[in-house]
Coordinates of all heavy atoms in Angstrom, one line a residue:
S191 N -9.2 -41.1 13.8 CA -8.9 -41.1 15.3 C -7.6 -41.8 15.5 O -7.3 -42.9 15.0 CB -10.0 -41.9 16.0 OG -9.7 -41.9 17.4
L192 N -6.7 -41.1 16.2 CA -5.3 -41.6 16.5 C -5.2 -41.8 18.0 O -5.5 -40.9 18.8 CB -4.3 -40.6 16.0 CG -4.3 -40.2 14.5 CD1 -3.3 -39.1 14.2 CD2 -4.1 -41.4 13.6
G193 N -4.7 -42.9 18.4 CA -4.5 -43.2 19.8 C -3.1 -43.3 20.2 O -2.3 -43.9 19.5
F194 N -2.7 -42.8 21.3 CA -1.3 -42.8 21.8 C -1.1 -43.8 22.9 O 0.0 -44.2 23.3 CB -0.9 -41.4 22.3 CG -0.7 -40.4 21.2 CD1 -1.7 -39.6 20.8 CD2 0.6 -40.3 20.7 CE1 -1.5 -38.7 19.8 CE2 0.8 -39.4 19.7 CZ -0.2 -38.6 19.2
G195 N -2.2 -44.3 23.5 CA -2.1 -45.3 24.6 C -1.6 -44.6 25.8 O -1.7 -43.4 26.0
A196 N -1.0 -45.4 26.7 CA -0.4 -44.9 28.0 C 1.0 -44.3 27.7 O 1.8 -45.0 27.1 CB -0.4 -46.0 29.0
L197 N 1.3 -43.1 28.2 CA 2.6 -42.5 27.9 C 3.2 -42.1 29.2 O 2.5 -41.7 30.2 CB 2.4 -41.2 27.1 CG 1.8 -41.4 25.6 CD1 1.6 -40.0 25.0 CD2 2.8 -42.2 24.8
T198 N 4.5 -42.1 29.3 CA 5.3 -41.5 30.4 C 6.1 -40.4 29.8 O 6.2 -40.2 28.5 CB 6.2 -42.5 31.0 OG1 7.3 -42.9 30.1 CG2 5.4 -43.8 31.4
S199 N 6.8 -39.6 30.6 CA 7.6 -38.5 30.1 C 8.7 -38.9 29.2 O 9.2 -38.2 28.4 CB 8.1 -37.7 31.3 OG 8.9 -38.6 32.2
N200 N 9.2 -40.2 29.3 CA 10.2 -40.7 28.5 C 9.8 -41.0 27.1 O 10.6 -41.2 26.2 CB 10.8 -41.9 29.1 CG 11.5 -41.7 30.5 OD1 12.1 -40.6 30.7 ND2 11.4 -42.6 31.4
D201 N 8.4 -41.1 26.9 CA 7.9 -41.5 25.6 C 7.7 -40.4 24.6 O 7.5 -40.6 23.4 CB 6.6 -42.3 25.8 CG 6.7 -43.5 26.6 OD1 7.7 -44.2 26.5 OD2 5.8 -43.8 27.4
F202 N 7.6 -39.2 25.2 CA 7.1 -38.0 24.3 C 8.0 -37.8 23.1 O 7.6 -37.4 22.1 CB 7.0 -36.8 25.2 CG 5.8 -36.8 26.1 CD1 6.0 -36.4 27.4 CD2 4.6 -37.4 25.8 CE1 4.9 -36.5 28.3 CE2 3.5 -37.5 26.6 CZ 3.7 -37.0 27.9
A203 N 9.3 -37.9 23.3 CA 10.3 -37.6 22.3 C 10.1 -38.4 21.0 O 10.3 -38.0 19.9 CB 11.7 -37.6 22.8
S204 N 9.7 -39.7 21.2 CA 9.6 -40.6 20.1 C 8.2 -41.0 19.8 O 8.0 -41.8 18.8 CB 10.4 -41.9 20.4 OG 9.9 -42.5 21.6
S205 N 7.2 -40.6 20.5 CA 5.9 -41.0 20.3 C 5.2 -40.1 19.3 O 4.9 -38.9 19.6 CB 5.1 -41.0 21.6 OG 3.8 -41.4 21.4
Q206 N 4.9 -40.6 18.1 CA 4.3 -39.8 17.1 C 3.3 -40.7 16.3 O 3.5 -41.9 16.1 CB 5.3 -39.3 16.0 CG 4.6 -38.6 14.9 CD 5.6 -37.9 13.9 OE1 6.0 -36.8 14.2 NE2 6.0 -38.6 12.9
Q207 N 2.1 -40.2 16.1 CA 1.1 -40.8 15.3 C 0.9 -40.1 14.0 O 1.0 -38.8 13.9 CB -0.3 -40.9 16.0 CG -0.3 -41.7 17.3 CD -0.2 -43.2 17.0 OE1 -0.6 -43.7 15.9 NE2 0.5 -44.0 17.8
V208 N 0.7 -40.8 12.9 CA 0.6 -40.2 11.6 C -0.8 -40.4 11.0 O -1.3 -41.5 11.0 CB 1.6 -40.8 10.6 CG1 1.4 -40.3 9.2 CG2 3.0 -40.6 11.1
A209 N -1.4 -39.3 10.6 CA -2.7 -39.3 9.9 C -2.4 -39.3 8.4 O -1.7 -38.5 7.9 CB -3.5 -38.1 10.3
E210 N -3.0 -40.3 7.7 CA -2.9 -40.4 6.3 C -4.2 -40.1 5.6 O -5.2 -40.8 5.9 CB -2.3 -41.8 5.9 CG -0.9 -42.1 6.5 CD -0.4 -43.4 6.0 OE1 -1.2 -44.3 5.5 OE2 0.8 -43.6 6.0
I211 N -4.1 -39.2 4.6 CA -5.3 -38.8 3.9 C -5.1 -39.2 2.4 O -4.1 -38.6 1.8 CB -5.6 -37.3 4.0 CG1 -5.9 -37.0 5.5 CG2 -6.8 -36.9 3.2 CD1 -4.7 -36.6 6.3
S212 N -5.9 -40.0 1.9 CA -5.7 -40.5 0.5 C -6.7 -39.8 -0.4 O -7.9 -39.7 -0.2 CB -6.0 -42.0 0.5 OG -5.9 -42.5 -0.9
L213 N -6.1 -39.2 -1.5 CA -6.9 -38.6 -2.5 C -6.7 -39.3 -3.9 O -5.6 -39.6 -4.3 CB -6.4 -37.1 -2.7 CG -6.8 -36.1 -1.6 CD1 -6.2 -34.8 -1.9 CD2 -8.3 -36.0 -1.4
N214 N -7.8 -39.4 -4.6 CA -7.7 -40.0 -5.9 C -8.1 -38.9 -6.9 O -9.2 -38.3 -6.9 CB -8.7 -41.2 -6.1 CG -8.5 -41.9 -7.4 OD1 -7.5 -42.4 -7.8 ND2 -9.6 -41.9 -8.2
C215 N -7.2 -38.6 -7.8 CA -7.4 -37.5 -8.8 C -7.5 -38.0 -10.2 O -6.8 -39.0 -10.6 CB -6.3 -36.5 -8.7 SG -6.2 -35.7 -7.1
T216 N -8.3 -37.4 -11.0 CA -8.5 -37.9 -12.4 C -7.4 -37.3 -13.3 O -7.2 -37.8 -14.4 CB -9.9 -37.4 -12.9 OG1 -10.0 -36.0 -12.8 CG2 -11.0 -38.1 -12.1

Side-chain angles (χ1 to χ4, degrees):
S191 180
L192 305 176
F194 287 90
L197 298 173
T198 67
S199 57
N200 296 326
D201 299 323
F202 291 136
S204 59
S205 180
Q206 176 175 273
Q207 293 291 329
V208 176
E210 295 186 340
I211 299 91
S212 176
L213 288 178
N214 187 60
C215 300
T216 57

